[in-house]
Amino acid sequence: MKSFLIHMAGCLLVIVAAERIPEHVSRILSCAKDGKLYSAQDGGCHFPLSQGYCDNREMVVMGMKGSGICVPRLCEEDQVFKAGKCVNVYQVKDCLREGEVLQYNLNGEVVCGCADGWGKVGSRDTTCYQHSALGPCASDQIVLPSGPECAQAELCVEYNQCPAITRSFDTLASIRHDQPEEYREGLDRLKEKLCGKREQKTVCCQLATSLNTSDVEKIILEWQNQPFSCLDNPCGQSAVPWPGESGCFPLDTESEHGG
């Protein structure tokens, strides 16, 4: 990791000015930052799976180009269309892991996802943990919502996928020995851009001129599902906070507090 930091430092002394963002990309990103999908049909932003600009019995999902499209809504609230029929997401047992329920993803596909009050710790975790549970945390921490690692205009991506960084490699790597002070300043800037786990070698990066559906999905999901982290319990050892409620709630000391 140290060699990665040193190598990247020489490439982040100057952040190359972003190219002009195409209008359609700008509109898609602007909507995604508010947890919504951009519709080219009406020029508006609409929450995924809502009726939005669509007709009755339709809902907005993400199309192949990252913008919203209309598809039929075949079931009522708390139901999904699976195997040719509508099923209640809380009654079927298709999702075997704790904290998971059937739900539509942004594309309108039926998948297993975290239920309300549950979330994943880290961007690559596949397990759902309950809010305020011990989960994967150390004994003095619990699972709590955390703020986004990157600014709204940025995504956490592998460093070699960030245009601003890759464009800087050739022009800035050579100053490591000739301009040591500027080099150290670059190292400090790099530390501010790091995100995710160290071994992932990922940085916060503004994607300037293009994006794919996975970029849009990541921005929307981060807005909709606030990421969870292992954090110190603000209520001490005998109580926990609870989502949507103010104050602290006492623990049942006779039962194990887990997740």
Side-chain angles (χ1 to χ4, degrees):
M1 184 60 187
K2 182 178 180 181
S3 61
F4 163 68
L5 285 173
I6 293 175
H7 176 62
M8 294 292 292
C11 307
L12 270 179
L13 298 177
V14 177
I15 299 298
V16 179
E19 300 174 14
R20 181 177 179 83
I21 301 177
E23 184 176 357
H24 75 283
V25 173
S26 177
R27 290 181 178 180
I28 290 174
L29 286 174
S30 179
C31 291
K33 292 168 193 173
D34 292 326
K36 300 178 181 179
L37 288 165
Y38 169 71
S39 165
Q41 184 167 331
D42 73 342
C45 301
H46 307 280
F47 282 113
L49 311 182
S50 70
Q51 180 178 338
Y53 69 98
C54 303
D55 295 334
N56 290 333
R57 305 297 299 178
E58 289 186 333
M59 62 182 180
V60 182
V61 301
M62 184 170 64
M64 294 181 63
K65 297 183 179 180
S67 57
I69 60 173
C70 296
V71 299
R73 179 186 293 276
L74 302 176
C75 304
E76 302 299 328
E77 187 176 356
D78 291 338
Q79 293 181 332
V80 295
F81 191 76
K82 182 175 175 62
K85 61 181 181 181
C86 294
V87 297
N88 188 294
V89 299
Y90 298 107
Q91 294 178 355
V92 296
K93 303 299 182 182
D94 293 51
C95 301
L96 302 179
R97 294 192 294 186
E98 186 179 17
E100 288 187 337
V101 295
L102 281 179
Q103 57 189 222
Y104 289 117
N105 63 14
L106 296 185
N107 303 105
E109 302 164 335
V110 178
V111 298
C112 289
C114 296
D116 289 342
W118 295 68
K120 297 176 181 178
V121 177
S123 60
R124 299 191 180 186
D125 200 337
T126 58
T127 301
C128 298
Y129 300 102
Q130 190 173 23
H131 185 293
S132 297
L134 177 63
C137 307
S139 59
D140 58 344
Q141 294 185 321
I142 58 175
V143 174
L144 290 173
S146 58
E149 292 183 280
C150 301
Q152 273 196 326
E154 298 176 326
L155 284 175
C156 187
V157 301
E158 293 184 8
Y159 74 94
N160 57 4
Q161 295 179 2
C162 182
I165 293 177
T166 55
R167 286 196 302 265
S168 301
F169 277 163
D170 294 337
T171 57
L172 300 178
S174 62
I175 72 169
R176 178 179 177 183
H177 300 293
D178 297 336
Q179 302 178 44
E181 183 176 348
E182 288 80 358
Y183 179 79
R184 287 192 294 270
E185 291 175 357
L187 181 60
D188 291 337
R189 290 183 185 140
L190 172 61
K191 290 179 180 178
E192 295 175 358
K193 287 293 181 180
L194 290 174
C195 57
K197 297 181 179 179
R198 290 186 176 183
E199 63 270 19
Q200 294 172 355
K201 299 181 179 179
T202 47
V203 295
C204 293
C205 178
Q206 181 170 357
L207 302 183
T209 60
S210 65
L211 75 167
N212 53 47
T213 54
S214 63
D215 297 330
V216 179
E217 181 177 19
K218 187 171 183 178
I219 297 173
I220 292 176
L221 291 179
E222 187 168 83
W223 186 94
Q224 291 184 339
N225 306 314
Q226 191 173 12
F228 281 11
S229 298
C230 290
L231 301 173
D232 293 338
N233 185 352
C235 297
Q237 297 297 317
S238 59
V240 293
W242 200 248
E245 302 290 341
S246 58
C248 297
F249 295 81
L251 288 171
D252 180 1
T253 55
E254 296 182 357
S255 62
E256 181 180 0
H257 178 48

